[in-house]
Amino acid sequence: MLKITFLGAGSTIFARNVLGDVMCTPALCQCEIALYDIDETRLKESEKILQTINKNVNESRAVIKSYLGPENRKEALRGARFVVNAVHIGGYEPCTVIDFEIPKKYGLRQTIADTLGIGGIMRALRTIPVMEEFARDMEAVCPDAWLLNYTNPMGMLTGYMQRYTNIKTVGLCHSVQVCAKWILERVDMLDKLENHQELIAGINHMGWLLEIRDKDGNDLYPEIRKRAREKNQAGKHDDMVRFDYINRFGYYCTESSEHNAEYNPFYIKEKYPELIERYNIPLDEYPRRCVNQIKEWKELSEKLVSDSSLTHTRSHEYASYIMEAMCTDTPIRIGGNVLNTGHLISDFPEQACVEVPCLVDGAGIHPTYVGALPPVLAAMNMTNINVQLLTIEAARTKRVEDILHAAMLDPHTAAELSIDDIEKMVLELIEAHGEYMSMYH
């Protein structure tokens, strides 16, 4: 029987989407699902909700089992063909709060802090040791399984797993498959979406929409550029940073403006506070979302757990489509995060983790060659890749000195703080994270 293991199953809504998709897929629905988490309450809630969906959409053909805590993780993984990773190490409290509040003391403001910046670096460094444990368990009990990683920071975590473990790993992010729709919707060109042609490549959360054409092959970028410039001039909206990218660099990118506001030295600057207002940048956005989600979940969980009529419709998340393609040898195309082996993107080093179109079939995941990016886009990506590679090196060596190198090379951090303050801030963050960072010396 096909076995699918979900690590971080306490992420109930996401587990519901991915595993609900599995139950809606004929080639996958008669499977064993292993739910793993360290939070007993959240694990029980997820299992209850998934059992209900299994009964209502799948005639109870999936076998669902729960596994609580590290002592049961190996059993959860045993014999799995696919492992989905959606863990959040350290949670909102204490770790996310620490990642925002300590930098704020030094005058360093953030929006999301889950991909790059000092928050992204810290999140990677406390998550990689746990993912390394996952890898060792997988190497022991399901060495041929595919790890589908959804946890951020995607480039750092996926890149580490691909370079320093024997587990077949791909990083997945839903921002790729919705990128074209987002931009066409925002510039009132949604009528061009059907059967459009696109090429997206770069790195996670800064993958570039390099080409977009309508069903007849007409280039849509000239009109997109015109409308994007007009929209930013007309007044505030929620995507001003990415529209500014279009204006200044010529291209749109995959992840939101609130994310991209902190991946560069341009928009969040203490010396130019008016930029926050001008580009409508939501500082401290991720903690705000966490607080709201925690509050909403308390109300929503009771409703979902007790809803015996709960059902599901297959979502656009890549996971079930990848599993289906591999199990049936029916090819599909995805945007995947893979090592830049063979210089898929010729501008970047081979050890970089890149986001490129990939073919998926019964033989696995096959990344496609993209070649060179427009020079300014490659340069923008490299400022992020530098930090990713240095953070991965710090995770490998466990040396604080290497963490400092990553922080010093971060574009936003270096633009705001002195090198001495960067060092003080990093040391304070490591101390504040306690056991989550105790392996670094």
Side-chain angles (χ1 to χ4, degrees), residues 212-238:
I212 181 165
R213 299 177 181 276
D214 67 15
K215 64 182 185 331
D216 299 317
N218 299 305
D219 186 0
L220 298 179
Y221 251 131
E223 185 64 21
I224 288 172
R225 290 180 181 121
K226 174 178 170 289
R227 295 190 184 199
R229 186 167 54 252
E230 289 170 353
K231 185 159 184 176
N232 262 17
Q233 290 169 348
K236 286 182 193 169
H237 57 93
D238 66 357

Side-chain angles (χ1 to χ4, degrees), residues 19-83:
L19 297 174
D21 290 351
V22 166
M23 295 174 204
C24 291
T25 306
L28 307 174
C29 63
Q30 289 181 285
C31 64
E32 178 183 339
I33 293 172
L35 306 175
Y36 170 80
D37 208 280
I38 60 171
D39 184 321
E40 186 173 11
T41 302
R42 294 296 296 265
L43 184 61
K44 284 180 178 176
E45 289 172 342
S46 291
E47 183 180 359
K48 181 77 164 43
I49 288 166
L50 287 164
Q51 291 284 16
T52 302
I53 293 172
N54 188 36
K55 180 182 175 185
N56 291 339
V57 307
N58 195 27
E59 298 175 0
S60 300
R61 285 181 292 181
V63 177
I64 303 173
K65 300 177 182 178
S66 289
Y67 299 83
L68 177 67
E71 66 274 15
N72 294 307
R73 185 174 61 224
K74 200 175 275 191
E75 219 34 60
L77 290 164
R78 190 177 304 279
R81 182 167 178 187
F82 300 104
V83 178

Side-chain angles (χ1 to χ4, degrees), residues 348-402:
F348 304 153
E350 286 199 299
Q351 63 267 39
C353 182
V354 295
E355 197 165 66
V356 295
C358 301
L359 177 74
V360 186
D361 61 14
I365 295 175
H366 317 284
T368 63
Y369 176 80
V370 174
L373 300 183
V376 69
L377 305 188
M380 286 277 284
N381 282 163
M382 273 308 304
T383 64
N384 285 227
I385 289 170
N386 290 335
V387 180
Q388 292 172 358
L389 295 181
L390 289 168
T391 303
I392 288 171
E393 179 66 4
R396 184 187 71 83
T397 65
K398 305 292 190 290
R399 298 195 316 168
V400 170
E401 181 182 1
D402 291 326

Side-chain angles (χ1 to χ4, degrees), residues 155-226:
M156 300 184 203
L157 303 185
T158 305
Y160 185 93
M161 295 293 280
Q162 289 161 339
R163 287 172 62 190
Y164 294 116
T165 78
N166 295 317
I167 298 303
K168 294 178 287 190
T169 305
V170 65
L172 304 171
C173 179
H174 62 260
S175 63
V176 178
Q177 62 261 51
V178 298
C179 180
K181 183 183 178 187
W182 274 346
I183 183 59
L184 293 176
E185 197 168 38
R186 283 166 163 81
V187 295
D188 299 320
M189 293 171 63
L190 205 51
D191 59 306
K192 305 294 185 183
L193 182 65
E194 189 175 358
N195 296 322
H196 77 284
Q197 304 158 31
E198 66 177 47
L199 173 62
I200 295 176
I203 59 172
N204 180 243
H205 284 186
M206 202 189 269
W208 301 102
L209 183 62
L210 298 170
E211 294 179 12
I212 181 165
R213 299 177 181 276
D214 67 15
K215 64 182 185 331
D216 299 317
N218 299 305
D219 186 0
L220 298 179
Y221 251 131
E223 185 64 21
I224 288 172
R225 290 180 181 121
K226 174 178 170 289

Side-chain angles (χ1 to χ4, degrees), residues 336-356:
N337 288 271
V338 297
L339 272 190
N340 195 36
T341 306
H343 294 284
L344 301 166
I345 298 180
S346 55
D347 311 270
F348 304 153
E350 286 199 299
Q351 63 267 39
C353 182
V354 295
E355 197 165 66
V356 295

